[in-house]
Amino acid sequence: MNNKLKIGIIGAGRIGKLHAENIVNNFRDIEIKAIADIYTDKIEDWAKSIGIKNIYKDYHEIINDEEIDAILICSSTNTHSMIIIEAANAGKNIFCEKPIDFHINKIKEALKAVEEAGVKFQIGFNRRFDHNFKKVRQLVKSGKIGDCHIIKVTSRDPQPPPIEYVKVSGGIFVDMTIHDFDMVRYLTGSDVEEVYTNATVLVDPLIGETGDVDTAIISLKFKNGAIGVIDNSRRAAYGYDQRVEVFGSLGAVTVNNDTDTTAILHTKEGIVSEKPKYFFLERYKDSFISELREFFDAIINDTDTPVTGMDGLKPVLIGMAAKKSYEENRPVRIEEIE
C-alpha cells in the first residue's frame, strides 16, 4: 500500500458529499482519487473545488482502478449489495452506508462475498461514534448500572423527508428506526428477540398513502432479559430529538439532546434553554468523522472494523419484524424473519 490510502466514493448525494468533505478537511493521509455519480454534471464543480480530479458516471471505473484501496458506498440502497459484491471481488476494502439492502438474502450474499474476499467491511452506523452514546456504552459495559433492565430511545426528526424519498426508502423501520435498532443492540450489548409495534400516520397523510407510517412506538424484548421501547416521529416541531435512558439494577444513565450552548435564561417570565440542534448533520457532525477514522485505522493497522456486517444485518431483521408486527398487529420474534 502507498503512503497515502487511496479512496473512491460511489454516490455523491448528501451523505457522499459529507464524507468527501470530511476526508478532505480532516485526513491528510487519505486521498480521494475518484468519485462516481450518475449525475456527473451536477457534482463536477463541487468535486473539483475540493480537489477530486477523477469524476465518473460509471462506478466500475472506481472498482477497476487497482490503485484504489477502499471504497465508500453512498449510493441509493437498492445498489448497495450489488456494489459490495463487485468491490469485494475486486479486493477493495468497503465502507457502506446503511442499510445493506432491503432483502435478507441479498444482504447475506453480500456478506458472504466480503468474507470470502477477506476485505475490511464497515457499516455506517455513525451514532455509535457519538461522544454521548459511546459514554453510555462504556458505563453499561463496565457494570456501573448493574444488569440492564430497561432501555428507552426517543428519536424524532424535525421534519419528514420528501414524499419521493419516502416511496423508495423502504419505510420508516428500515430507513429511520434502523439507527435506533442498532443503538439498542450497541448500548445493551444484547440482541433483540421479539418486537411489537404500534404505529400510525399523524404527521403527513401523503406518507400514509405510500403505505408507510410516520409515528411509532416499538416495544422490544432482548435475549439478556431486558425490555425496551423506541418512540419515533417524522416531525418534532422543536428540532431533532435524540434521547436515551438505560436503567439497570444498580442505577441508570441518560443522554439528553445536544444544544448549541448549555446557557439557560432565568427570568420572572420563565426559564428558557436552547432548542436541540436542528438535524443529524449538526447533531452527529463529529461522529461522521470518527467512524471514518476508525475505518481507515482498521485498514492501515489490519485490525477489525468496529461495525461489522452482522451489525448491518441484524437491525434490518429487527426492522422487518417491526413492520410485520405493525401489519399483523402481534408480537413478532426475530427468528420468524431469519
Side-chain angles (χ1 to χ4, degrees):
M1 191 179 295
N2 295 328
N3 290 333
K4 274 197 171 186
L5 197 67
K6 289 184 170 59
I7 302 297
I9 299 176
I10 298 174
R14 180 168 59 179
I15 197 68
K17 287 180 178 178
L18 175 70
H19 286 317
E21 291 170 4
N22 280 341
I23 291 170
V24 170
N25 294 327
N26 296 279
F27 298 94
R28 290 186 177 182
D29 294 330
I30 308 297
E31 176 189 341
I32 305 175
K33 186 179 180 187
I35 192 164
D37 194 276
I38 57 175
Y39 300 110
T40 51
D41 56 321
K42 294 183 178 180
I43 68 163
E44 188 170 0
D45 291 343
W46 162 81
K48 289 181 178 178
S49 74
I50 63 170
I52 303 175
K53 298 177 181 178
N54 301 301
I55 305 157
Y56 304 127
K57 184 180 287 288
D58 183 357
Y59 70 84
H60 291 97
E61 298 278 358
I62 290 177
I63 289 179
N64 295 331
D65 188 330
E66 295 183 357
E67 289 190 352
I68 289 178
D69 304 298
I71 291 176
L72 273 61
I73 302 175
C74 308
S75 50
S76 59
T77 298
N78 64 327
T79 67
H80 288 182
S81 60
M82 172 180 64
I83 296 175
I84 288 169
I85 292 170
E86 293 175 345
N89 289 340
K92 308 300 185 188
N93 299 294
I94 303 162
F95 178 97
C96 183
E97 282 300 327
K98 62 81 192 171
I100 298 174
D101 204 282
F102 297 135
H103 303 283
I104 300 301
N105 287 341
K106 289 185 177 181
I107 295 175
K108 291 180 177 179
E109 288 173 8
L111 297 185
K112 182 181 178 182
V114 168
E115 182 179 4
E116 290 177 349
V119 297
K120 303 296 182 185
F121 183 73
Q122 183 171 323
I123 291 294
F125 281 129
N126 64 291
R127 295 184 193 180
R128 290 185 177 219
F129 302 88
D130 172 72
H131 59 292
N132 291 320
F133 298 146
K134 285 187 75 172
K135 183 63 175 180
V136 173
R137 176 58 189 149
Q138 290 168 5
L139 292 170
V140 172
K141 188 176 181 180
S142 66
K144 293 295 185 182
I145 67 163
D147 296 329
C148 182
H149 289 179
I150 300 171
I151 182 167
K152 298 179 180 178
V153 174
T154 292
S155 182
R156 304 168 185 161
D157 287 353
Q159 62 182 13
I163 292 300
E164 292 307 311
Y165 173 82
V166 172
K167 291 177 181 178
V168 298
S169 69
I172 189 171
F173 304 118
V174 294
D175 173 53
M176 177 181 173
T177 324
I178 192 170
H179 279 290
D180 307 313
F181 294 143
D182 177 66
M183 189 51 49
V184 297
R185 292 186 64 246
Y186 171 64
L187 295 180
T188 63
S190 179
D191 280 317
V192 174
E193 63 179 10
E194 187 177 280
V195 179
Y196 178 70
T197 304
N198 191 359
T200 188
V201 179
L202 297 174
V203 172
D204 187 346
L206 292 178
I207 291 177
E209 291 178 12
T210 69
D212 200 6
V213 295
D214 56 35
T215 308
I217 300 287
I218 303 150
S219 298
L220 308 165
K221 289 183 180 180
F222 294 85
K223 290 185 177 180
N224 67 357
I227 57 176
V229 63
I230 297 169
D231 81 77
N232 289 146
S233 175
R234 284 290 197 181
R235 184 174 64 205
Y238 48 85
Y240 194 40
D241 195 352
Q242 298 284 288
R243 291 172 284 145
V244 161
E245 177 187 8
V246 185
F247 172 80
S249 57
L250 299 179
V253 55
T254 62
V255 167
N256 290 317
N257 287 308
D258 270 5
T259 56
D260 288 331
T261 75
T262 58
I264 301 175
L265 175 65
H266 300 253
T267 69
K268 64 180 181 180
E269 285 80 21
I271 301 174
V272 181
S273 63
E274 296 200 27
K275 295 190 296 184
K277 292 184 177 181
Y278 179 67
F279 208 6
F280 72 93
L281 293 178
E282 294 83 7
R283 169 65 179 81
Y284 292 115
K285 178 182 177 181
D286 292 339
S287 71
F288 288 108
I289 298 170
S290 296
E291 67 175 351
L292 288 181
R293 180 172 289 112
E294 295 210 25
F295 174 62
F296 297 146
D297 285 349
I299 297 171
I300 294 168
N301 300 317
D302 192 22
T303 56
D304 293 336
T305 57
V307 191
T308 67
M310 289 305 295
D311 292 324
L313 170 62
K314 290 187 176 182
V316 177
L317 293 172
I318 304 169
M320 292 183 172
K323 182 178 181 182
K324 186 178 183 69
S325 173
Y326 164 68
E327 292 173 342
E328 299 182 6
N329 191 29
R330 65 176 181 88
V332 174
R333 295 184 64 81
I334 304 304
E335 62 192 23
E336 295 182 45
I337 309 300
E338 290 179 303

